[in-house]
Amino acid sequence: MDGLLCYCRAGFEPELAGELTERAAQAGFAGYARTERNTGHVLFVCDDADALSRSLPWSTLIFARQKLRLFANLAALDPRDRIAPMLAALPADIRYGELVMEHPDSDSGKPMAGLARSLGNALRPALRKADVLTREDNPRLQRLHVCLLDGDHALLASSEPEDSAPWPLGIPRLRMHADAPSRSALKLEEALLVLLDQRERESLLRDGMRAADLGAAPGGWTWVLTRQGLRVQAVDNGPLRQHVLDSGRVEHLRADGFSWQPQQPLDWMVCDMVEQPRRVAERMATWLREGWCRHTIFNLKLPMKKRWQETRLCLDLFAQQADKSLTIRAKQLYHDREEITVFATSR
């Protein structure tokens, strides 16, 4: 099988399939998506998958947590010897820097976790003996991914380190900090990790920068920003956790986040308000168009139907109404639910 293997949040397979199909067609590639609801992954079959993969960078895919180059679909594996067929299916003359054993993040995939660990422990020495896997992890080489769909069914794929998520399944495993005011803090922490690279985190998040958090209560996103050294105007009619205010970096403004505007330009604005996605997109565009902030991270809460179509519409609306040159990135993060997270910055 020649194509792409992409992981997603269970239940969002149609959205990812629609995104891949439309994006591939726009890039001039014929292909089709194969998927089932709630399986946590999508296969996109294409005759020229290498070229397609180059045309669809992982960082630009919204509903894909991970993008892999699929090269083998091994069904009806003999449980007594799964390794020999895997070795036989590997492309010739390619050495891998790491083996990643995976299973879809779905109800059907999670029971494969134990088998994936034990099979990986047996497969690694076999790969090294065959001189297919380096003795020590080499981050410059492709990674070999084995995705177990069932005890007798595996997908083999590869990833380029510079064009894929660095975490298994594309999921950064973040721990909830004891002082975090709410679990929503994990969404912003993940957004900063996934949507910004290391250079951007160092240059765009500096001590003393000023930010606004619209719809801040109880203070999860404000807390994350203060831990980055920012001073925050937390805008919400509701209360903030006292220890967030005690940081000395927070000014609580009891106001409506949709009508409030800063008295002077800010470095950042973040927003996780529950509101119609088009209304959020329009208001976020106003902030950038009017120069009220330079950088923003916000969430768009998606409807239950036609979510890919609504995503396209909202992002197009945002870019059009911002009316300036922007870098825009969007992802459905692991800690997101029925939403996507958007990062935008003025060029």
Side-chain angles (χ1 to χ4, degrees):
M1 176 174 287
D2 209 23
L4 303 180
L5 166 61
C6 295
Y7 299 130
C8 65
R9 182 179 181 85
F12 278 77
E13 298 83 8
E15 286 68 33
L16 176 54
E19 180 182 12
L20 291 171
T21 300
E22 183 172 313
R23 294 281 306 280
Q26 290 172 346
F29 293 91
Y32 61 94
R34 292 176 51 183
T35 189
E36 296 179 17
R37 175 80 75 168
N38 295 320
T39 57
H41 71 282
V42 173
L43 305 181
F44 191 84
V45 182
C46 176
D47 289 338
D48 194 353
D50 286 334
L52 174 62
S53 183
R54 291 191 294 270
S55 298
L56 301 182
W58 169 76
S59 61
T60 68
L61 294 173
I62 297 171
F63 291 100
R65 293 175 178 171
Q66 179 65 291
K67 183 198 73 172
L68 307 175
R69 170 68 172 83
L70 178 70
F71 60 82
N73 184 352
L74 304 179
L77 289 170
D78 187 344
R80 295 170 297 180
D81 184 8
R82 301 179 179 91
I83 292 178
M86 292 181 182
L87 293 175
L90 294 176
D93 301 326
I94 294 182
R95 298 187 76 222
Y96 299 95
E98 181 183 357
L99 170 65
V100 184
M101 298 296 303
E102 297 174 313
H103 55 81
D105 183 38
S106 63
D107 289 342
S108 60
K110 289 175 182 176
M112 294 293 102
L115 176 59
R117 284 192 298 270
S118 61
L119 181 57
N121 291 335
L123 182 57
R124 282 186 184 88
L127 292 169
R128 291 180 181 130
K129 183 178 181 181
D131 199 28
V132 173
L133 182 67
T134 56
R135 297 287 171 178
E136 298 181 359
D137 289 351
N138 187 332
R140 295 187 299 273
L141 297 178
Q142 293 183 44
R143 294 183 293 255
L144 173 62
H145 296 253
V146 176
C147 176
L148 291 181
L149 302 182
D150 209 334
D152 62 352
H153 192 181
L155 303 175
L156 303 189
S158 62
S159 65
E160 298 286 349
E162 68 277 8
D163 188 27
S164 60
W167 315 280
L169 293 173
I171 300 174
R173 298 295 182 177
L174 304 178
R175 291 187 178 183
M176 179 73 173
H177 195 284
D179 291 338
S182 63
R183 290 195 63 81
S184 69
L186 293 171
K187 290 193 287 187
L188 184 54
E189 287 185 339
E190 185 182 358
L192 295 175
L193 190 62
V194 173
L195 297 177
L196 280 69
D197 61 29
Q198 181 64 36
R199 181 190 59 81
E200 290 170 329
R201 287 191 292 273
E202 293 172 354
S203 64
L204 302 185
L205 294 163
R206 298 195 304 273
D207 189 70
M209 282 185 164
R210 294 173 300 117
D213 181 3
L214 308 183
W221 283 30
T222 293
W223 176 82
V224 173
L225 292 176
T226 60
R227 282 166 58 84
Q228 297 288 335
L230 277 68
R231 308 190 72 85
V232 184
Q233 292 177 295
V235 183
D236 202 307
N237 284 310
L240 268 64
R241 297 291 172 85
Q242 187 59 45
H243 72 277
V244 175
L245 296 171
D246 291 343
S247 68
R249 292 179 173 270
V250 178
E251 178 187 6
H252 183 194
L253 303 175
R254 293 187 177 272
D256 178 3
F258 265 97
S259 59
W260 181 84
Q261 65 184 66
Q263 294 182 349
Q264 55 185 336
L266 303 174
D267 299 293
W268 278 90
M269 178 270 291
V270 298
C271 176
D272 189 28
M273 288 190 285
V274 179
E275 187 50 83
Q276 293 295 323
R278 296 183 199 184
R279 187 180 181 214
V280 173
E282 290 176 341
R283 186 59 179 173
M284 301 300 100
T286 298
W287 270 76
L288 289 164
R289 183 179 65 250
E290 299 300 324
W292 298 343
C293 70
R294 294 180 57 204
H295 323 294
T296 181
I297 291 177
F298 59 91
N299 276 351
L300 295 175
K301 317 293 182 180
L302 300 178
M304 293 304 295
K305 296 182 179 179
K306 296 185 178 180
R307 293 181 289 205
W308 164 237
Q309 292 87 338
E310 186 70 14
T311 295
R312 276 187 317 162
L313 187 153
C314 288
L315 292 178
D316 288 346
L317 180 67
F318 169 69
Q320 180 181 12
Q321 295 202 7
D323 195 27
K324 63 171 56 178
S325 182
L326 299 174
T327 294
I328 301 174
R329 301 173 195 143
K331 279 284 184 187
Q332 185 178 43
L333 304 173
Y334 175 71
H335 293 96
D336 285 338
R337 294 185 180 177
E338 308 292 322
E339 61 197 345
I340 64 169
T341 300
V342 183
F343 162 69
T345 183
S346 302
R347 291 177 183 169

